[in-house]
Amino acid sequence: MSAVAGDSKVATKQRLIEAAEELFADEGFDRVSVRDITTKAGANVAAVNYHFGSREGLVAIVLARYINPVNEERLARLDALERKIGGKPVPVEEVLEAFVRPFTTQVRRSELTEKLFFKLMGRMFGQEGCNLPPVVETVFVNMLNRFQKAFAKAMPGLAADDVWWRIHLMAGAMIHTMAHADTLQRFSGGDSGSPTLEQTLSRFIRFTAAGMRQGADDPHEGEKPRGPQVEFPF
Amino acid sequence: MSAVAGDSKVATKQRLIEAAEELFADEGFDRVSVRDITTKAGANVAAVNYHFGSREGLVAIVLARYINPVNEERLARLDALERKIGGKPVPVEEVLEAFVRPFTTQVRRSELTEKLFFKLMGRMFGQEGCNLPPVVETVFVNMLNRFQKAFAKAMPGLAADDVWWRIHLMAGAMIHTMAHADTLQRFSGGDSGSPTLEQTLSRFIRFTAAGMRQGADDPHEGEKPRGPQVEFPF
DNA sequence: CCAGCTGTCAAACGATTGATTTAATTCTGC
DNA sequence: GCAGAATTAAATCAATCGTTTGACAGCTGG
């Protein structure tokens, strides 16, 4: 029945993790019960509590399994870029590349489909992004601060809060694109095509790079707030 | 205890809806039980089933209550813009304004805080964005197709799939920003400031406008895929 | 005045949840 | 081949879930 169950050679613990990842990916963390997981893994109901102490323990492991490597690879890539370029600012596109490329690295470490992996990542950073285990959160915050500095350096003259907000918008585009790629296909009636992973990455980097450094070469553009251009009868 | 419970003059049905909205907003649709809602509304457990037939019925009503007005106001605003400008393409910024401005209109129709309202909207379009009631989905798809055409007209020469993907990235930035504004505050250590709603809207429009029309004034920029600039030891 | 409807109530329903235990079994490493 | 770890089926636990029931109060229209 399941793609995971039946591989009795693989250790139960591993099968449980993989089954949980798949279920979490396409149903969300909340809608999946311990019994769903153990059934899909072809294991006993007690297995989750035996191996992970509790359902929460399994969730924590699934969360940490990829988020930490992704964040650490992000930092390593940013380090490499800065080391390579010396003291000069790293171009926005390359910082963005360091930010998203780790996903394509880590998807190969997993047993999941590309599609499912990105869905899982999207759910993690989106939905469950608030209840991260402390170890994961520490690395996460460090990573964010390092990238904030890198972006600020790449866009001199931009206020710190502006940089943070652009990072937030950028991250939102990334998370939503990862988690709901299929939604686009459904809503566009197939007109969104079937791009490769690399094409999608390219689209993301170009879109967000333009957004990040917007106004940089147009210094007269200040915080001019935009009112509604068309008055509306409400 | 609750801001909603106790207003015994307000009809129970209304109190249930408002309590549900608040709870759904800051806990998500899945984590809220019928008893949570009725308790907060100061009503009996059976009230939800009496007034809405089921929990699902209440969810559907909450979903339709704002999504439909928002989408219809979007369409009306886009209509107004196109009528005003004649046959010429509407500038990207103004299309974007028509896309997000309705939220600021509808937030005043609700009993919710700005913060809670946007959180609820974010959750709707994000998490629950797949199981929309059919009536809501119809309007939604119509709206999306109209905006796709408007964006395509504003950015001539851009392929249809590119337009769809940029809309997807733009919508992601919007949804994530709405749903997780507090997350930014926490992760930035307060360095993201306390912008007004109008400032945030301005930031969003400028960010996504740059992303949407990126490459438009730079015609030599094609689909050149970006490989990793720095080889990495994984 | 009372029949009829609506809203509300406490109480209980059956189902499912995560967790735990027991005891028997299988696997694995030394 | 033995010891210990891993895994199993089965049963149980308290808690919570969405839903249902039947009774009761308040009101309205005739």
Side-chain angles (χ1 to χ4, degrees):
Chain A
M1 172 176 300
S2 155
V4 177
D7 304 344
S8 43
K9 272 292 154 237
V10 184
T12 303
K13 192 169 177 177
Q14 191 65 20
R15 287 200 333 269
L16 285 173
I17 293 179
E18 291 169 16
E21 284 174 353
E22 287 194 28
L23 288 172
F24 289 158
D26 51 28
E27 307 202 24
F29 289 90
D30 290 339
R31 285 194 247 255
V32 178
S33 71
V34 172
R35 284 171 176 82
D36 292 335
I37 298 170
T38 52
T39 299
K40 172 154 193 154
N44 190 268
V45 212
V48 163
N49 287 277
Y50 176 79
H51 285 288
F52 307 99
S54 67
R55 181 190 190 279
E56 217 179 330
L58 172 55
V59 170
I61 284 200
V62 170
L63 283 179
R65 200 157 112 96
Y66 297 113
I67 293 191
N68 259 341
V70 164
N71 284 337
E72 277 158 9
E73 187 181 331
R74 281 169 165 170
L75 283 173
R77 283 183 179 271
L78 184 54
D79 279 340
L81 284 174
E82 292 180 335
R83 213 178 316 115
K84 185 184 172 194
I85 210 172
K88 285 180 294 186
V90 181
V92 175
E93 278 86 357
E94 313 214 0
V95 182
L96 284 169
E97 171 104 19
F99 192 75
V100 292
R101 176 62 62 184
F103 287 115
T104 73
T105 303
Q106 299 293 332
V107 68
R108 282 189 288 274
R109 253 200 36 195
S110 79
E111 314 291 331
L112 287 80
T113 323
E114 263 186 13
K115 189 176 157 188
L116 271 187
F117 180 81
F118 287 116
K119 226 169 163 183
L120 182 64
M121 293 294 109
R123 283 197 197 275
M124 284 180 181
F125 288 93
Q127 170 183 356
E128 201 79 4
C130 306
N131 317 4
L132 292 177
V135 194
V136 182
E137 174 139 346
T138 302
V139 180
F140 196 85
V141 172
N142 285 343
M143 183 275 298
L144 274 186
N145 278 286
R146 288 268 287 113
F147 272 80
Q148 195 271 345
K149 282 177 195 144
F151 279 124
K153 197 172 179 182
M155 304 173 297
L158 202 59
D161 57 341
D162 276 317
V163 176
W164 277 116
W165 273 92
R166 293 185 187 188
I167 289 178
H168 199 221
L169 291 161
M170 179 271 291
M174 181 194 72
I175 291 170
H176 189 256
T177 301
M178 294 201 310
H180 299 105
D182 47 346
T183 304
L184 173 62
Q185 185 132 14
R186 192 159 57 87
F187 281 158
S188 72
D191 288 346
S192 60
S194 306
T196 64
L197 174 57
E198 213 56 45
Q199 281 176 319
T200 303
L201 231 67
S202 173
R203 277 177 170 142
F204 167 79
I205 290 182
R206 292 208 310 245
F207 182 94
T208 53
M212 291 295 288
R213 66 156 134 254
Q214 145 265 138
D217 32 35
D218 194 7
H220 83 294
E221 180 110 27
E223 262 297 347
K224 157 178 68 108
R226 304 172 43 84
Q229 267 75 9
V230 180
E231 67 279 8
F232 207 73
F234 280 105
Chain B
M1 175 175 299
S2 156
V4 176
D7 304 344
S8 44
K9 272 292 154 232
V10 184
T12 302
K13 191 170 179 177
Q14 192 65 21
R15 289 201 330 268
L16 286 173
I17 293 179
E18 292 170 16
E21 284 174 353
E22 288 194 26
L23 289 171
F24 288 159
D26 50 28
E27 307 201 24
F29 288 90
D30 290 339
R31 286 195 244 257
V32 177
S33 71
V34 172
R35 282 172 176 82
D36 291 336
I37 298 170
T38 52
T39 299
K40 174 156 192 151
N44 189 268
V45 213
V48 163
N49 286 276
Y50 176 79
H51 286 286
F52 307 98
S54 66
R55 181 189 190 277
E56 216 180 332
L58 172 54
V59 170
I61 284 201
V62 170
L63 282 179
R65 199 157 111 98
Y66 297 113
I67 293 190
N68 260 342
V70 163
N71 284 337
E72 278 158 9
E73 187 181 332
R74 280 169 167 171
L75 283 172
R77 284 183 178 271
L78 184 55
D79 279 341
L81 284 173
E82 291 179 336
R83 213 178 316 115
K84 184 185 173 194
I85 209 171
K88 285 180 295 185
V90 181
V92 175
E93 278 85 356
E94 313 214 0
V95 182
L96 285 170
E97 170 103 19
F99 192 74
V100 292
R101 176 61 63 183
F103 287 115
T104 74
T105 303
Q106 299 294 331
V107 68
R108 282 188 289 273
R109 251 200 39 193
S110 78
E111 314 290 330
L112 286 79
T113 322
E114 264 186 11
K115 189 176 159 187
L116 271 187
F117 181 82
F118 287 116
K119 226 168 163 184
L120 182 65
M121 293 295 110
R123 285 198 196 275
M124 284 180 180
F125 288 93
Q127 169 184 357
E128 201 79 3
C130 305
N131 317 2
L132 291 177
V135 194
V136 182
E137 174 140 345
T138 303
V139 181
F140 197 86
V141 171
N142 286 344
M143 183 275 297
L144 273 186
N145 278 285
R146 288 268 287 112
F147 272 81
Q148 194 271 345
K149 280 177 195 142
F151 280 124
K153 198 173 181 184
M155 303 173 296
L158 202 59
D161 57 342
D162 277 316
V163 177
W164 277 115
W165 273 93
R166 293 184 189 189
I167 288 179
H168 198 221
L169 291 160
M170 178 272 290
M174 181 194 72
I175 291 170
H176 189 257
T177 300
M178 293 200 310
H180 299 106
D182 46 347
T183 303
L184 172 62
Q185 185 132 12
R186 193 158 56 87
F187 281 158
S188 71
D191 288 347
S192 59
S194 307
T196 65
L197 173 57
E198 215 54 47
Q199 280 176 320
T200 303
L201 232 66
S202 173
R203 275 177 171 143
F204 167 80
I205 290 184
R206 291 208 310 243
F207 182 96
T208 53
M212 292 295 288
R213 66 155 134 252
Q214 143 267 135
D217 32 34
D218 193 8
H220 82 295
E221 179 111 25
E223 261 299 346
K224 158 178 68 110
R226 304 172 43 84
Q229 267 76 6
V230 179
E231 67 278 5
F232 207 74
F234 280 104

